[in-house]
Amino acid sequence: MKQEKSLSELISGLFLDEATEKAKQMLSDHCPVQDIYQEVMDGLAIVGEKYNDGKCFIADLIVAGTLAQDIFALIKDERLYERKHIDGKMVIGTISGDIHDIGKDLICTGLRFSGVDVIDLGVDVSVERFVEAVQEYRPDLLGISTVIDSSFAHIKKLVAAFQQAGLAGDTEIVVGGSIADPRYIHLDGVSCLTNNYKDGVNYCLKVLEKKSAGRDRK
């Protein structure tokens, strides 16, 4: 008897229609929304690993990201969320010169799912706008998204401006995107650099949980 594929397996295999129907069936069967969310993130992580191993392409990452967004849309109703309500705030945007938003939107969804306050600046965000937003919102984390090699020059400029404005002490910088491979790239002033959706979300949640715990002790 052929074993039915899990949602994460369908996503990692880019079985688009089957994955969507599987998610709908899980909802119909009253599967906990948190479990569906975790399956989606596991599937995305597998696609990310395949990309790192040269077994798929950026286009596959984009397709997987779009699929994940479609599934997240099914569980968008906040009344269904079994959230941790982590006390924390993040400003995020795609750096200037880049208009890709799938990865950024997934991070936003993942963090909001856990109750994090996320301020999304959108795409093609200038260095000046990033700095202004951090000064305005005083977030725990600043997320920078990109899938374009040339964007790293803008990111370095942003990190320098960030430090010059005296913002580095309270806000950690996280850089994510398909080309943000920590095996080959290092950026001074950046706490986390990752091309894996799940790793990025988990890192942010870990930092926010630690900061939240520290605030509770004061």
Side-chain angles (χ1 to χ4, degrees):
M1 183 176 177
K2 188 176 181 180
Q3 186 175 2
E4 185 178 351
K5 291 183 182 294
S6 67
L7 179 57
S8 61
E9 289 173 329
L10 291 171
I11 291 172
S12 64
L14 301 181
F15 296 104
L16 309 186
D17 294 337
E18 293 92 333
T20 302
E21 288 304 314
K22 178 71 173 182
K24 289 179 179 178
Q25 184 60 51
M26 292 173 75
L27 276 174
S28 178
D29 293 341
H30 303 291
C31 179
V33 173
Q34 181 62 44
D35 291 352
I36 300 174
Y37 168 79
Q38 194 58 54
E39 286 268 357
V40 173
M41 296 305 288
D42 288 345
L44 291 174
I46 295 170
V47 177
E49 290 168 3
K50 288 181 178 180
Y51 175 78
N52 287 337
D53 294 338
K55 296 179 180 178
C56 71
F57 305 97
I58 289 180
D60 298 311
L61 293 178
I62 294 173
V63 170
T66 302
L67 173 58
Q69 289 289 69
D70 290 343
I71 294 174
F72 285 144
L74 297 174
I75 56 176
K76 188 176 181 180
D77 191 337
E78 292 192 6
R79 290 172 298 176
L80 296 175
Y81 282 15
E82 300 168 3
R83 303 189 298 180
K84 300 176 185 177
H85 292 283
I86 295 175
D87 178 25
K89 186 183 296 182
M90 183 178 196
V91 166
I92 189 171
T94 303
I95 194 72
S96 56
D98 192 339
I99 60 172
H100 295 88
D101 61 2
I102 292 295
K104 172 184 65 64
D105 289 350
L106 284 170
I107 293 293
C108 291
T109 300
L111 295 179
R112 285 171 176 156
F113 190 90
S114 294
V116 177
D117 182 9
V118 180
I119 297 94
D120 183 1
L121 302 180
V123 300
D124 194 21
V125 182
S126 68
V127 169
E128 293 75 19
R129 177 62 187 125
F130 271 116
V131 173
E132 289 172 359
V134 172
Q135 290 173 327
E136 178 181 355
Y137 296 105
R138 297 292 174 176
D140 301 290
L141 291 166
L142 171 63
I144 307 168
S145 177
T146 184
V147 300
I148 299 176
D149 284 323
S150 59
S151 294
F152 285 117
H154 297 295
I155 294 174
K156 290 179 180 178
K157 182 180 177 182
L158 172 55
V159 173
F162 196 70
Q163 293 172 337
Q164 186 175 5
L167 300 171
D170 298 322
T171 303
E172 290 192 31
I173 298 177
V174 178
V175 174
S178 57
I179 61 167
D181 193 328
R183 296 174 300 176
Y184 309 112
I185 300 169
H186 174 76
L187 294 172
D188 290 330
V190 172
S191 299
C192 176
L193 189 146
T194 181
N195 59 3
N196 185 292
Y197 304 118
K198 185 178 179 180
D199 288 349
V201 169
N202 287 342
Y203 178 83
C204 291
L205 291 177
K206 184 177 179 180
V207 169
L208 294 172
E209 286 172 347
K210 184 177 180 180
K211 289 195 172 192
S212 179
R215 284 190 285 265
D216 291 341
R217 287 194 295 267
K218 291 182 179 179

